[in-house]
Amino acid sequence: MTTAKIHSFESLGTVDGPGIRFVIFFQGCHLKCKYCHNRDLWDCSIGKEYTMKELCMEVIKHKDFFDHGGGITVTGGEPLLQAEFLAEFFETCQALKIHTALDTAGSVPLTKNVRNVLQHTNLVLLDIKHIDDEKGKELTGSSNKNTLAFAQYLNDKKIPMWIRYVVVPGYTDSPEDVKKLADFLAPMTNIEKIEVLPYHEMGKHKWELMGDKYQLENVKAPTKDSIENIKKILERK
Ligand code: SF4
């Protein structure tokens, strides 16, 4: 793969990894999360094509901003759909002493290209959509089996990870499911942080722009109490 399909960049990201991040949004996603706030990133056939040199030049242009304790974060979409390119890109970034973070749902097989990406990844921000396979399929259209195997692999390889869990009332907030997730994560020694994120409707307009019906029309954002309770269960406090 000699080029990557990129949707956009964010030059001063502050939430997708440590420090200031240069965030790169890779085009294309194979999941169909009902709450997706990046509905415009699903289509793998569009996006601006960048060669390795062009993308590295974008990064280098912004290096002064993120150089002190920050780095780059690739997100999407699902960046691992372009794993061959990404592996070489991360290898190049690390050779330039740039911290690499990968924001992913991990919902891909652990192919050689994916393992090559992880070999050059300093931090994975892993979105676990659901611990229950059937409920996960209802929420995202896909099985969670690859994601759970992916988390296990990161732990085995001692690759640092932040867990991200989106609380969607009626879908992901049952205490039983959250306890099951806490049990799954408990033996893992590579988890640096668990982020519990409230569902929001901010991407709704993108569904409408794409001519699609928004899937969670009547779902409200979770309460602060609900978020706190889920945090406590996941952090085992
Ligand atoms: S994985 Fe992310 S980009 Fe893909 S559908 Fe889900 S929320 Fe949207």
Side-chain angles (χ1 to χ4, degrees):
M1 193 184 273
T2 52
T3 59
K5 290 201 165 101
I6 304 295
H7 176 272
S8 54
F9 304 103
E10 184 188 338
S11 51
L12 293 171
T14 53
V15 293
D16 294 315
I20 304 285
R21 315 298 302 180
F22 182 65
V23 184
I24 305 168
F25 291 83
F26 275 51
Q27 181 71 37
C29 188
H30 59 309
L31 297 189
K32 294 186 169 37
C33 301
K34 290 188 168 168
Y35 57 81
C36 183
H37 53 282
N38 286 330
R39 174 63 187 84
D40 50 334
L41 271 77
W42 287 9
D43 187 346
C44 296
S45 67
I46 58 175
K48 185 170 177 218
E49 297 215 7
Y50 281 77
T51 63
M52 190 64 63
K53 190 173 169 197
E54 286 166 343
L55 194 57
C56 290
M57 289 309 290
E58 281 297 325
V59 170
I60 288 164
K61 251 186 353 203
H62 294 86
K63 197 163 180 283
D64 283 349
F65 295 107
F66 63 72
D67 224 8
H68 310 284
I72 59 154
T73 300
V74 300
T75 183
E78 175 48 74
L80 288 175
L81 296 185
Q82 304 186 65
E84 188 179 353
F85 182 97
L86 187 53
E88 192 184 332
F89 176 58
F90 268 11
E91 186 176 4
T92 308
C93 288
Q94 284 194 333
L96 294 167
K97 307 239 178 304
I98 294 171
H99 180 274
T100 58
L102 167 69
D103 180 19
T104 176
S107 180
V108 292
L110 287 159
T111 60
K112 186 167 178 284
N113 285 333
V114 169
R115 284 182 275 120
N116 284 345
V117 173
L118 295 176
Q119 208 186 326
H120 299 289
T121 303
N122 294 111
L123 173 69
V124 175
L125 314 175
L126 181 64
D127 301 300
I128 299 188
K129 308 289 183 184
H130 214 300
I131 190 66
D132 181 277
D133 201 23
E134 287 309 315
K135 292 179 191 171
K137 279 183 198 160
E138 160 71 15
L139 185 66
T140 70
S142 291
S143 167
N144 69 2
K145 288 194 171 67
N146 281 339
T147 301
L148 301 187
F150 192 89
Q152 197 59 60
Y153 180 83
L154 296 178
N155 185 55
D156 294 347
K157 294 289 174 192
K158 301 188 185 352
I159 299 171
M161 101 180 143
W162 292 5
I163 297 293
R164 291 179 150 180
Y165 188 66
V166 179
V167 178
V168 189
Y171 287 87
T172 64
D173 61 344
S174 117
E176 292 72 35
D177 288 332
V178 179
K179 276 183 200 134
K180 259 169 80 180
L181 177 57
D183 289 343
F184 172 72
L185 298 175
M188 298 194 177
T189 54
N190 64 330
I191 300 175
E192 292 187 345
K193 200 192 246 195
I194 298 180
E195 294 184 320
V196 177
L197 308 169
Y199 157 73
H200 59 72
E201 279 190 338
M202 282 189 291
K204 187 177 167 187
H205 68 286
K206 294 185 185 172
W207 288 70
E208 288 156 0
L209 279 174
M210 305 292 296
D212 251 358
K213 187 172 163 12
Y214 190 60
Q215 302 277 303
L216 299 181
E217 201 61 70
N218 297 315
V219 177
K220 300 277 168 256
T223 62
K224 276 190 182 162
D225 281 354
S226 159
I227 295 288
E228 284 312 311
N229 288 339
I230 288 171
K231 264 189 197 164
K232 277 186 198 152
I233 299 173
L234 288 178
E235 290 167 358
R236 304 211 152 215
K237 285 184 182 159

